[in-house]
Amino acid sequence: MKKSIKFISFVAILIVLLAACSTEQKEKQHADKVKYDRIISLMPSNTEILYELGLGKKVIGVSTVDDYPKEVKDKKQFDAMKLNKESLLKAKPDLILAHESQKSTAGDVLKSLKQSGVKVVYVKDAQSISEMYDSFKQVGEVTGKQSKAKALVKETKQNIKNIKASVPKDAKSQKVFMEVSSEPEIYTAGKQTFFNDMLETLKAKNSFSNIEGWQKVSKEDIIKKNPDIMISTMGISEKSYQKMVEQRGGFDKITAVKKGELKAVNGDEISRPGPRIDDGLKALKEAIYDK
């Protein structure tokens, strides 16, 4: 009987091992089949995903707004808002990673590139952390790096779980105003945006959760919302942001201004649905809760 149990256990283990080997072999075959050596990324978040998956050396071109990791400064740059077919073809890419939104802004050029034999893939427009994981998987699938993408998802999920657990359990939910830009008009993030999802993840309230997407708001509206905390994502220092807000008439009535709760975080880390999102979430959590 014991021998029988041992044999069954051995068979079970063998099946698991064979399945794992089969999966690895399939991934290797897929990777060989879809091997791309000259990749152009037209969105910073896609570029960061490619580097995290170990494909940095295969990236030959990036968008003009790419700035991370530092190696991208040596790559050929393309204006994603004004794509030029001849310039792109001259770089001889075998894969172009575009963003879903570029279907409307550069669809004709990208379609023409497809017809010229270049593989063009549109990465979905992630508006939440869960959708970001889908982007990791999509890029991994296209490039034959499914295992690394899966590991990246697992690691990021754990990091985010740890950050959520660090939010003080007895902390009062704060009303937060996210300032995306200040000139010529003030813009913020409403519901169905990445920022809104991050605030909800941290158990904070978005002052403008009543609007949808990225919209401009008036100074009067901000005063009316009376946020507990105001956070700039514009790449300026807290000191500069404080000085800017203090010059706005009527803002001295806002709770955040009265209490000196004017913060600044790295906009790239929290706005790009990429591998650094856990760093951005941590910085946002510290801006809201760490006093």
Side-chain angles (χ1 to χ4, degrees):
M1 183 68 178
K2 287 183 179 178
K3 285 184 179 180
S4 177
I5 292 172
K6 285 182 180 179
F7 177 73
I8 292 170
S9 298
F10 171 75
V11 171
I13 292 169
L14 186 62
I15 289 170
V16 171
L17 290 172
L18 287 172
C21 289
S22 176
T23 301
E24 286 179 13
Q25 180 137 8
K26 282 179 183 176
E27 286 199 3
K28 187 179 184 304
Q29 288 172 348
H30 182 62
D32 291 338
K33 188 178 177 182
V34 298
K35 187 177 180 182
Y36 297 109
D37 295 311
R38 299 182 65 78
I39 305 172
I40 291 177
S41 171
L42 298 175
M43 184 63 65
S45 54
N46 293 346
T47 305
E48 293 189 26
I49 295 170
L50 286 167
Y51 269 86
E52 198 66 26
L53 296 182
L55 294 165
K57 290 182 180 178
K58 306 285 186 182
V59 176
I60 61 162
V62 296
S63 75
T64 50
V65 293
D66 269 88
D67 56 10
Y68 189 90
K70 62 183 180 181
E71 289 83 3
V72 299
K73 74 180 188 304
D74 299 320
K75 306 292 183 179
K76 181 159 180 66
Q77 294 188 336
F78 299 91
D79 187 344
M81 300 303 291
K82 292 181 180 179
L83 290 181
N84 181 281
K85 180 185 173 182
E86 287 69 31
S87 179
L88 286 162
L89 283 176
K90 191 176 179 181
K92 297 180 180 178
D94 48 23
L95 172 65
I96 293 178
L97 278 188
H99 189 255
E100 197 172 38
S101 63
Q102 290 166 332
K103 283 182 180 179
S104 58
T105 59
D108 290 341
V109 174
L110 293 168
K111 185 179 179 181
S112 182
L113 286 163
K114 269 187 177 184
Q115 293 170 344
S116 297
V118 180
K119 176 75 173 178
V120 177
V121 175
Y122 295 97
V123 178
K124 293 178 181 178
D125 183 18
Q127 294 298 338
S128 66
I129 293 172
S130 63
E131 288 179 357
M132 176 192 70
Y133 298 139
D134 292 335
S135 296
F136 291 176
K137 293 173 187 174
Q138 185 183 4
V139 176
E141 175 68 27
V142 170
T143 58
K145 295 288 184 180
Q146 298 97 318
S147 292
K148 284 195 173 183
K150 188 177 179 181
L152 177 59
V153 170
K154 184 178 180 181
E155 180 187 0
T156 307
K157 279 185 176 180
Q158 185 57 53
N159 290 343
I160 288 177
K161 184 180 179 181
N162 293 340
I163 295 166
K164 286 174 69 176
S166 70
V167 173
K169 289 181 172 57
D170 58 347
K172 179 187 173 185
S173 182
Q174 302 289 298
K175 286 191 300 179
V176 182
F177 171 68
M178 302 289 288
E179 187 157 345
V180 180
S181 69
S182 61
E183 294 178 351
E185 294 170 300
I186 300 174
Y187 270 79
T188 192
K191 58 186 176 183
Q192 294 184 7
T193 64
F194 212 66
F195 284 0
N196 189 74
D197 188 53
M198 293 180 81
L199 289 173
E200 288 182 350
T201 299
L202 295 173
K203 298 178 182 177
K205 296 175 183 176
N206 182 353
S207 293
F208 282 90
S209 61
N210 62 307
I211 63 175
E212 189 173 311
W214 311 87
Q215 291 192 36
K216 61 182 178 182
V217 291
S218 68
K219 293 176 183 177
E220 292 73 27
D221 285 337
I222 300 169
I223 294 170
K224 212 175 285 183
K225 292 291 183 182
N226 191 29
D228 300 308
I229 302 171
M230 295 176 65
I231 300 177
S232 163
T233 67
M234 299 175 289
I236 60 176
S237 67
E238 286 189 0
K239 190 174 181 180
S240 296
Y241 185 50
Q242 288 167 0
K243 189 174 180 181
M244 180 189 296
V245 172
E246 285 168 3
Q247 293 173 345
R248 294 173 178 168
F251 271 49
D252 55 338
K253 299 173 184 175
I254 297 175
T255 300
V257 179
K258 288 178 182 177
K259 294 186 175 181
E261 293 292 335
L262 303 175
K263 307 293 180 70
V265 296
N266 185 324
D268 290 342
E269 285 183 349
I270 68 169
S271 64
R272 294 178 184 175
R276 292 189 293 161
I277 202 65
D278 44 7
D279 293 330
L281 192 67
K282 183 181 178 184
L284 191 58
K285 175 257 170 184
E286 291 171 351
I288 296 171
Y289 295 105
D290 294 3
K291 307 300 179 186

PDB file of all heavy atoms in Angstrom, residues 71-102:
ATOM      1  N   GLU A  71      19.202  55.166 -19.886  1.00  0.00           N
ATOM      2  CA  GLU A  71      19.751  54.690 -21.161  1.00  0.00           C
ATOM      3  C   GLU A  71      18.958  55.174 -22.374  1.00  0.00           C
ATOM      4  O   GLU A  71      19.485  55.202 -23.492  1.00  0.00           O
ATOM      5  CB  GLU A  71      19.798  53.155 -21.183  1.00  0.00           C
ATOM      6  CG  GLU A  71      20.832  52.534 -20.277  1.00  0.00           C
ATOM      7  CD  GLU A  71      20.345  52.409 -18.831  1.00  0.00           C
ATOM      8  OE1 GLU A  71      19.185  52.748 -18.558  1.00  0.00           O
ATOM      9  OE2 GLU A  71      21.136  51.959 -17.976  1.00  0.00           O
ATOM     10  N   VAL A  72      17.695  55.562 -22.168  1.00  0.00           N
ATOM     11  CA  VAL A  72      16.863  55.956 -23.322  1.00  0.00           C
ATOM     12  C   VAL A  72      17.363  57.236 -23.980  1.00  0.00           C
ATOM     13  O   VAL A  72      17.020  57.506 -25.136  1.00  0.00           O
ATOM     14  CB  VAL A  72      15.366  56.121 -22.935  1.00  0.00           C
ATOM     15  CG1 VAL A  72      14.796  54.825 -22.420  1.00  0.00           C
ATOM     16  CG2 VAL A  72      15.176  57.248 -21.931  1.00  0.00           C
ATOM     17  N   LYS A  73      18.183  57.984 -23.271  1.00  0.00           N
ATOM     18  CA  LYS A  73      18.692  59.235 -23.845  1.00  0.00           C
ATOM     19  C   LYS A  73      19.587  58.977 -25.062  1.00  0.00           C
ATOM     20  O   LYS A  73      19.808  59.860 -25.901  1.00  0.00           O
ATOM     21  CB  LYS A  73      19.438  60.054 -22.785  1.00  0.00           C
ATOM     22  CG  LYS A  73      20.795  59.518 -22.402  1.00  0.00           C
ATOM     23  CD  LYS A  73      21.463  60.397 -21.349  1.00  0.00           C
ATOM     24  CE  LYS A  73      22.910  60.004 -21.087  1.00  0.00           C
ATOM     25  NZ  LYS A  73      23.112  58.619 -20.700  1.00  0.00           N
ATOM     26  N   ASP A  74      20.101  57.753 -25.158  1.00  0.00           N
ATOM     27  CA  ASP A  74      20.971  57.399 -26.286  1.00  0.00           C
ATOM     28  C   ASP A  74      20.202  56.773 -27.452  1.00  0.00           C
ATOM     29  O   ASP A  74      20.793  56.414 -28.472  1.00  0.00           O
ATOM     30  CB  ASP A  74      22.052  56.413 -25.821  1.00  0.00           C
ATOM     31  CG  ASP A  74      22.939  57.010 -24.727  1.00  0.00           C
ATOM     32  OD1 ASP A  74      23.268  58.203 -24.832  1.00  0.00           O
ATOM     33  OD2 ASP A  74      23.280  56.280 -23.778  1.00  0.00           O
ATOM     34  N   LYS A  75      18.888  56.633 -27.305  1.00  0.00           N
ATOM     35  CA  LYS A  75      18.067  56.028 -28.352  1.00  0.00           C
ATOM     36  C   LYS A  75      17.547  57.105 -29.320  1.00  0.00           C
ATOM     37  O   LYS A  75      17.416  58.266 -28.952  1.00  0.00           O
ATOM     38  CB  LYS A  75      16.869  55.292 -27.737  1.00  0.00           C
ATOM     39  CG  LYS A  75      17.231  54.255 -26.672  1.00  0.00           C
ATOM     40  CD  LYS A  75      17.968  53.068 -27.241  1.00  0.00           C
ATOM     41  CE  LYS A  75      18.249  52.030 -26.143  1.00  0.00           C
ATOM     42  NZ  LYS A  75      18.950  50.844 -26.676  1.00  0.00           N
ATOM     43  N   LYS A  76      17.245  56.689 -30.527  1.00  0.00           N
ATOM     44  CA  LYS A  76      16.671  57.622 -31.497  1.00  0.00           C
ATOM     45  C   LYS A  76      15.274  57.996 -31.023  1.00  0.00           C
ATOM     46  O   LYS A  76      14.521  57.137 -30.547  1.00  0.00           O
ATOM     47  CB  LYS A  76      16.602  56.984 -32.882  1.00  0.00           C
ATOM     48  CG  LYS A  76      16.036  57.925 -33.939  1.00  0.00           C
ATOM     49  CD  LYS A  76      16.418  57.523 -35.323  1.00  0.00           C
ATOM     50  CE  LYS A  76      15.846  58.493 -36.364  1.00  0.00           C
ATOM     51  NZ  LYS A  76      16.423  59.827 -36.263  1.00  0.00           N
ATOM     52  N   GLN A  77      14.928  59.271 -31.138  1.00  0.00           N
ATOM     53  CA  GLN A  77      13.641  59.741 -30.640  1.00  0.00           C
ATOM     54  C   GLN A  77      12.670  60.059 -31.777  1.00  0.00           C
ATOM     55  O   GLN A  77      13.059  60.546 -32.832  1.00  0.00           O
ATOM     56  CB  GLN A  77      13.840  60.992 -29.781  1.00  0.00           C
ATOM     57  CG  GLN A  77      14.619  60.728 -28.497  1.00  0.00           C
ATOM     58  CD  GLN A  77      14.617  61.935 -27.589  1.00  0.00           C
ATOM     59  OE1 GLN A  77      14.446  63.070 -28.019  1.00  0.00           O
ATOM     60  NE2 GLN A  77      14.810  61.697 -26.308  1.00  0.00           N
ATOM     61  N   PHE A  78      11.393  59.759 -31.499  1.00  0.00           N
ATOM     62  CA  PHE A  78      10.330  60.020 -32.473  1.00  0.00           C
ATOM     63  C   PHE A  78       9.201  60.776 -31.777  1.00  0.00           C
ATOM     64  O   PHE A  78       8.822  60.433 -30.659  1.00  0.00           O
ATOM     65  CB  PHE A  78       9.786  58.699 -33.039  1.00  0.00           C
ATOM     66  CG  PHE A  78      10.820  57.881 -33.772  1.00  0.00           C
ATOM     67  CD1 PHE A  78      11.569  56.934 -33.087  1.00  0.00           C
ATOM     68  CD2 PHE A  78      11.043  58.084 -35.123  1.00  0.00           C
ATOM     69  CE1 PHE A  78      12.534  56.177 -33.758  1.00  0.00           C
ATOM     70  CE2 PHE A  78      11.999  57.336 -35.799  1.00  0.00           C
ATOM     71  CZ  PHE A  78      12.745  56.375 -35.118  1.00  0.00           C
ATOM     72  N   ASP A  79       8.713  61.800 -32.438  1.00  0.00           N
ATOM     73  CA  ASP A  79       7.603  62.583 -31.895  1.00  0.00           C
ATOM     74  C   ASP A  79       6.317  61.788 -32.091  1.00  0.00           C
ATOM     75  O   ASP A  79       5.808  61.686 -33.219  1.00  0.00           O
ATOM     76  CB  ASP A  79       7.517  63.933 -32.609  1.00  0.00           C
ATOM     77  CG  ASP A  79       6.484  64.859 -31.978  1.00  0.00           C
ATOM     78  OD1 ASP A  79       5.638  64.367 -31.197  1.00  0.00           O
ATOM     79  OD2 ASP A  79       6.506  66.064 -32.271  1.00  0.00           O
ATOM     80  N   ALA A  80       5.806  61.225 -31.007  1.00  0.00           N
ATOM     81  CA  ALA A  80       4.615  60.373 -31.087  1.00  0.00           C
ATOM     82  C   ALA A  80       3.375  61.142 -31.536  1.00  0.00           C
ATOM     83  O   ALA A  80       2.411  60.538 -32.002  1.00  0.00           O
ATOM     84  CB  ALA A  80       4.356  59.710 -29.736  1.00  0.00           C
ATOM     85  N   MET A  81       3.405  62.465 -31.413  1.00  0.00           N
ATOM     86  CA  MET A  81       2.264  63.274 -31.829  1.00  0.00           C
ATOM     87  C   MET A  81       2.338  63.642 -33.321  1.00  0.00           C
ATOM     88  O   MET A  81       1.358  64.033 -33.914  1.00  0.00           O
ATOM     89  CB  MET A  81       2.203  64.563 -30.990  1.00  0.00           C
ATOM     90  CG  MET A  81       2.060  64.318 -29.490  1.00  0.00           C
ATOM     91  SD  MET A  81       0.604  63.333 -29.084  1.00  0.00           S
ATOM     92  CE  MET A  81      -0.694  64.493 -29.494  1.00  0.00           C
ATOM     93  N   LYS A  82       3.543  63.505 -33.894  1.00  0.00           N
ATOM     94  CA  LYS A  82       3.730  63.811 -35.318  1.00  0.00           C
ATOM     95  C   LYS A  82       4.610  62.735 -35.946  1.00  0.00           C
ATOM     96  O   LYS A  82       5.754  62.990 -36.313  1.00  0.00           O
ATOM     97  CB  LYS A  82       4.384  65.189 -35.495  1.00  0.00           C
ATOM     98  CG  LYS A  82       3.509  66.353 -35.101  1.00  0.00           C
ATOM     99  CD  LYS A  82       4.248  67.660 -35.348  1.00  0.00           C
ATOM    100  CE  LYS A  82       3.408  68.868 -34.970  1.00  0.00           C
ATOM    101  NZ  LYS A  82       4.150  70.150 -35.194  1.00  0.00           N
ATOM    102  N   LEU A  83       4.070  61.542 -36.053  1.00  0.00           N
ATOM    103  CA  LEU A  83       4.855  60.430 -36.586  1.00  0.00           C
ATOM    104  C   LEU A  83       5.142  60.609 -38.074  1.00  0.00           C
ATOM    105  O   LEU A  83       4.266  61.009 -38.847  1.00  0.00           O
ATOM    106  CB  LEU A  83       4.116  59.110 -36.362  1.00  0.00           C
ATOM    107  CG  LEU A  83       4.014  58.616 -34.910  1.00  0.00           C
ATOM    108  CD1 LEU A  83       3.270  57.293 -34.871  1.00  0.00           C
ATOM    109  CD2 LEU A  83       5.390  58.458 -34.293  1.00  0.00           C
ATOM    110  N   ASN A  84       6.374  60.300 -38.439  1.00  0.00           N
ATOM    111  CA  ASN A  84       6.789  60.393 -39.823  1.00  0.00           C
ATOM    112  C   ASN A  84       7.146  58.992 -40.326  1.00  0.00           C
ATOM    113  O   ASN A  84       8.068  58.355 -39.807  1.00  0.00           O
ATOM    114  CB  ASN A  84       8.000  61.326 -39.953  1.00  0.00           C
ATOM    115  CG  ASN A  84       8.469  61.483 -41.379  1.00  0.00           C
ATOM    116  OD1 ASN A  84       9.149  60.623 -41.924  1.00  0.00           O
ATOM    117  ND2 ASN A  84       8.092  62.595 -41.991  1.00  0.00           N
ATOM    118  N   LYS A  85       6.403  58.507 -41.309  1.00  0.00           N
ATOM    119  CA  LYS A  85       6.582  57.147 -41.788  1.00  0.00           C
ATOM    120  C   LYS A  85       8.001  56.894 -42.294  1.00  0.00           C
ATOM    121  O   LYS A  85       8.633  55.882 -41.960  1.00  0.00           O
ATOM    122  CB  LYS A  85       5.578  56.844 -42.905  1.00  0.00           C
ATOM    123  CG  LYS A  85       5.706  55.432 -43.460  1.00  0.00           C
ATOM    124  CD  LYS A  85       4.793  55.201 -44.650  1.00  0.00           C
ATOM    125  CE  LYS A  85       5.056  53.845 -45.286  1.00  0.00           C
ATOM    126  NZ  LYS A  85       4.205  53.604 -46.476  1.00  0.00           N
ATOM    127  N   GLU A  86       8.521  57.814 -43.092  1.00  0.00           N
ATOM    128  CA  GLU A  86       9.853  57.632 -43.671  1.00  0.00           C
ATOM    129  C   GLU A  86      10.926  57.551 -42.598  1.00  0.00           C
ATOM    130  O   GLU A  86      11.839  56.722 -42.664  1.00  0.00           O
ATOM    131  CB  GLU A  86      10.173  58.790 -44.639  1.00  0.00           C
ATOM    132  CG  GLU A  86       9.424  58.749 -45.952  1.00  0.00           C
ATOM    133  CD  GLU A  86       7.924  59.018 -45.798  1.00  0.00           C
ATOM    134  OE1 GLU A  86       7.548  59.781 -44.882  1.00  0.00           O
ATOM    135  OE2 GLU A  86       7.142  58.433 -46.572  1.00  0.00           O
ATOM    136  N   SER A  87      10.785  58.417 -41.586  1.00  0.00           N
ATOM    137  CA  SER A  87      11.763  58.426 -40.492  1.00  0.00           C
ATOM    138  C   SER A  87      11.733  57.114 -39.712  1.00  0.00           C
ATOM    139  O   SER A  87      12.771  56.573 -39.336  1.00  0.00           O
ATOM    140  CB  SER A  87      11.458  59.602 -39.550  1.00  0.00           C
ATOM    141  OG  SER A  87      12.360  59.621 -38.469  1.00  0.00           O
ATOM    142  N   LEU A  88      10.523  56.602 -39.495  1.00  0.00           N
ATOM    143  CA  LEU A  88      10.376  55.337 -38.773  1.00  0.00           C
ATOM    144  C   LEU A  88      10.920  54.170 -39.593  1.00  0.00           C
ATOM    145  O   LEU A  88      11.635  53.313 -39.073  1.00  0.00           O
ATOM    146  CB  LEU A  88       8.903  55.099 -38.426  1.00  0.00           C
ATOM    147  CG  LEU A  88       8.336  55.966 -37.288  1.00  0.00           C
ATOM    148  CD1 LEU A  88       6.822  55.962 -37.329  1.00  0.00           C
ATOM    149  CD2 LEU A  88       8.830  55.476 -35.935  1.00  0.00           C
ATOM    150  N   LEU A  89      10.614  54.135 -40.876  1.00  0.00           N
ATOM    151  CA  LEU A  89      11.097  53.056 -41.731  1.00  0.00           C
ATOM    152  C   LEU A  89      12.619  53.082 -41.860  1.00  0.00           C
ATOM    153  O   LEU A  89      13.264  52.033 -41.953  1.00  0.00           O
ATOM    154  CB  LEU A  89      10.462  53.165 -43.121  1.00  0.00           C
ATOM    155  CG  LEU A  89       9.010  52.689 -43.249  1.00  0.00           C
ATOM    156  CD1 LEU A  89       8.487  52.958 -44.655  1.00  0.00           C
ATOM    157  CD2 LEU A  89       8.892  51.206 -42.910  1.00  0.00           C
ATOM    158  N   LYS A  90      13.192  54.266 -41.856  1.00  0.00           N
ATOM    159  CA  LYS A  90      14.641  54.419 -41.962  1.00  0.00           C
ATOM    160  C   LYS A  90      15.357  53.750 -40.793  1.00  0.00           C
ATOM    161  O   LYS A  90      16.485  53.265 -40.921  1.00  0.00           O
ATOM    162  CB  LYS A  90      14.989  55.911 -42.010  1.00  0.00           C
ATOM    163  CG  LYS A  90      16.434  56.188 -42.390  1.00  0.00           C
ATOM    164  CD  LYS A  90      16.670  57.683 -42.509  1.00  0.00           C
ATOM    165  CE  LYS A  90      18.127  57.970 -42.874  1.00  0.00           C
ATOM    166  NZ  LYS A  90      18.390  59.430 -42.967  1.00  0.00           N
ATOM    167  N   ALA A  91      14.681  53.696 -39.634  1.00  0.00           N
ATOM    168  CA  ALA A  91      15.261  53.066 -38.447  1.00  0.00           C
ATOM    169  C   ALA A  91      15.214  51.533 -38.536  1.00  0.00           C
ATOM    170  O   ALA A  91      15.798  50.842 -37.714  1.00  0.00           O
ATOM    171  CB  ALA A  91      14.536  53.545 -37.196  1.00  0.00           C
ATOM    172  N   LYS A  92      14.470  51.014 -39.514  1.00  0.00           N
ATOM    173  CA  LYS A  92      14.338  49.575 -39.758  1.00  0.00           C
ATOM    174  C   LYS A  92      13.844  48.784 -38.532  1.00  0.00           C
ATOM    175  O   LYS A  92      14.472  47.814 -38.108  1.00  0.00           O
ATOM    176  CB  LYS A  92      15.673  48.994 -40.238  1.00  0.00           C
ATOM    177  CG  LYS A  92      16.127  49.580 -41.561  1.00  0.00           C
ATOM    178  CD  LYS A  92      17.454  48.986 -42.005  1.00  0.00           C
ATOM    179  CE  LYS A  92      17.882  49.588 -43.347  1.00  0.00           C
ATOM    180  NZ  LYS A  92      19.200  49.056 -43.794  1.00  0.00           N
ATOM    181  N   PRO A  93      12.716  49.189 -37.967  1.00  0.00           N
ATOM    182  CA  PRO A  93      12.167  48.441 -36.821  1.00  0.00           C
ATOM    183  C   PRO A  93      11.491  47.159 -37.287  1.00  0.00           C
ATOM    184  O   PRO A  93      10.994  47.084 -38.417  1.00  0.00           O
ATOM    185  CB  PRO A  93      11.148  49.410 -36.235  1.00  0.00           C
ATOM    186  CG  PRO A  93      10.648  50.161 -37.440  1.00  0.00           C
ATOM    187  CD  PRO A  93      11.854  50.326 -38.335  1.00  0.00           C
ATOM    188  N   ASP A  94      11.492  46.136 -36.433  1.00  0.00           N
ATOM    189  CA  ASP A  94      10.688  44.952 -36.744  1.00  0.00           C
ATOM    190  C   ASP A  94       9.470  44.878 -35.824  1.00  0.00           C
ATOM    191  O   ASP A  94       8.589  44.057 -36.014  1.00  0.00           O
ATOM    192  CB  ASP A  94      11.512  43.660 -36.677  1.00  0.00           C
ATOM    193  CG  ASP A  94      12.364  43.551 -35.420  1.00  0.00           C
ATOM    194  OD1 ASP A  94      12.015  44.205 -34.421  1.00  0.00           O
ATOM    195  OD2 ASP A  94      13.360  42.811 -35.441  1.00  0.00           O
ATOM    196  N   LEU A  95       9.437  45.765 -34.824  1.00  0.00           N
ATOM    197  CA  LEU A  95       8.275  45.864 -33.932  1.00  0.00           C
ATOM    198  C   LEU A  95       8.115  47.298 -33.448  1.00  0.00           C
ATOM    199  O   LEU A  95       9.088  47.924 -33.019  1.00  0.00           O
ATOM    200  CB  LEU A  95       8.443  44.938 -32.715  1.00  0.00           C
ATOM    201  CG  LEU A  95       7.394  45.086 -31.599  1.00  0.00           C
ATOM    202  CD1 LEU A  95       6.009  44.683 -32.086  1.00  0.00           C
ATOM    203  CD2 LEU A  95       7.786  44.246 -30.373  1.00  0.00           C
ATOM    204  N   ILE A  96       6.894  47.805 -33.537  1.00  0.00           N
ATOM    205  CA  ILE A  96       6.575  49.120 -32.974  1.00  0.00           C
ATOM    206  C   ILE A  96       5.485  48.928 -31.932  1.00  0.00           C
ATOM    207  O   ILE A  96       4.417  48.393 -32.228  1.00  0.00           O
ATOM    208  CB  ILE A  96       6.085  50.109 -34.059  1.00  0.00           C
ATOM    209  CG1 ILE A  96       7.226  50.449 -35.025  1.00  0.00           C
ATOM    210  CG2 ILE A  96       5.554  51.392 -33.410  1.00  0.00           C
ATOM    211  CD1 ILE A  96       6.823  51.378 -36.158  1.00  0.00           C
ATOM    212  N   LEU A  97       5.775  49.356 -30.706  1.00  0.00           N
ATOM    213  CA  LEU A  97       4.785  49.304 -29.636  1.00  0.00           C
ATOM    214  C   LEU A  97       4.154  50.685 -29.518  1.00  0.00           C
ATOM    215  O   LEU A  97       4.800  51.644 -29.103  1.00  0.00           O
ATOM    216  CB  LEU A  97       5.433  48.923 -28.299  1.00  0.00           C
ATOM    217  CG  LEU A  97       5.687  47.442 -28.011  1.00  0.00           C
ATOM    218  CD1 LEU A  97       6.134  47.275 -26.573  1.00  0.00           C
ATOM    219  CD2 LEU A  97       4.452  46.590 -28.272  1.00  0.00           C
ATOM    220  N   ALA A  98       2.902  50.777 -29.911  1.00  0.00           N
ATOM    221  CA  ALA A  98       2.167  52.041 -29.837  1.00  0.00           C
ATOM    222  C   ALA A  98       1.175  51.969 -28.685  1.00  0.00           C
ATOM    223  O   ALA A  98       1.014  50.941 -28.042  1.00  0.00           O
ATOM    224  CB  ALA A  98       1.455  52.297 -31.156  1.00  0.00           C
ATOM    225  N   HIS A  99       0.513  53.083 -28.449  1.00  0.00           N
ATOM    226  CA  HIS A  99      -0.502  53.158 -27.398  1.00  0.00           C
ATOM    227  C   HIS A  99      -1.873  53.169 -28.057  1.00  0.00           C
ATOM    228  O   HIS A  99      -2.026  53.669 -29.175  1.00  0.00           O
ATOM    229  CB  HIS A  99      -0.291  54.432 -26.574  1.00  0.00           C
ATOM    230  CG  HIS A  99      -1.123  54.520 -25.353  1.00  0.00           C
ATOM    231  ND1 HIS A  99      -2.226  55.350 -25.256  1.00  0.00           N
ATOM    232  CD2 HIS A  99      -1.040  53.878 -24.171  1.00  0.00           C
ATOM    233  CE1 HIS A  99      -2.766  55.219 -24.061  1.00  0.00           C
ATOM    234  NE2 HIS A  99      -2.069  54.338 -23.381  1.00  0.00           N
ATOM    235  N   GLU A 100      -2.845  52.610 -27.384  1.00  0.00           N
ATOM    236  CA  GLU A 100      -4.194  52.520 -27.941  1.00  0.00           C
ATOM    237  C   GLU A 100      -4.720  53.870 -28.404  1.00  0.00           C
ATOM    238  O   GLU A 100      -5.403  53.970 -29.428  1.00  0.00           O
ATOM    239  CB  GLU A 100      -5.130  51.913 -26.889  1.00  0.00           C
ATOM    240  CG  GLU A 100      -6.425  51.387 -27.452  1.00  0.00           C
ATOM    241  CD  GLU A 100      -7.222  50.624 -26.410  1.00  0.00           C
ATOM    242  OE1 GLU A 100      -7.233  51.035 -25.226  1.00  0.00           O
ATOM    243  OE2 GLU A 100      -7.827  49.611 -26.774  1.00  0.00           O
ATOM    244  N   SER A 101      -4.370  54.930 -27.664  1.00  0.00           N
ATOM    245  CA  SER A 101      -4.852  56.270 -28.011  1.00  0.00           C
ATOM    246  C   SER A 101      -4.276  56.761 -29.340  1.00  0.00           C
ATOM    247  O   SER A 101      -4.836  57.654 -29.979  1.00  0.00           O
ATOM    248  CB  SER A 101      -4.484  57.260 -26.901  1.00  0.00           C
ATOM    249  OG  SER A 101      -3.073  57.366 -26.781  1.00  0.00           O
ATOM    250  N   GLN A 102      -3.162  56.168 -29.779  1.00  0.00           N
ATOM    251  CA  GLN A 102      -2.523  56.609 -31.013  1.00  0.00           C
ATOM    252  C   GLN A 102      -3.232  56.096 -32.267  1.00  0.00           C
ATOM    253  O   GLN A 102      -2.882  56.485 -33.379  1.00  0.00           O
ATOM    254  CB  GLN A 102      -1.045  56.186 -31.004  1.00  0.00           C
ATOM    255  CG  GLN A 102      -0.235  56.986 -29.991  1.00  0.00           C
ATOM    256  CD  GLN A 102       1.131  56.398 -29.697  1.00  0.00           C
ATOM    257  OE1 GLN A 102       1.353  55.196 -29.800  1.00  0.00           O
ATOM    258  NE2 GLN A 102       2.060  57.260 -29.304  1.00  0.00           N
TER     259      GLN A 102
END
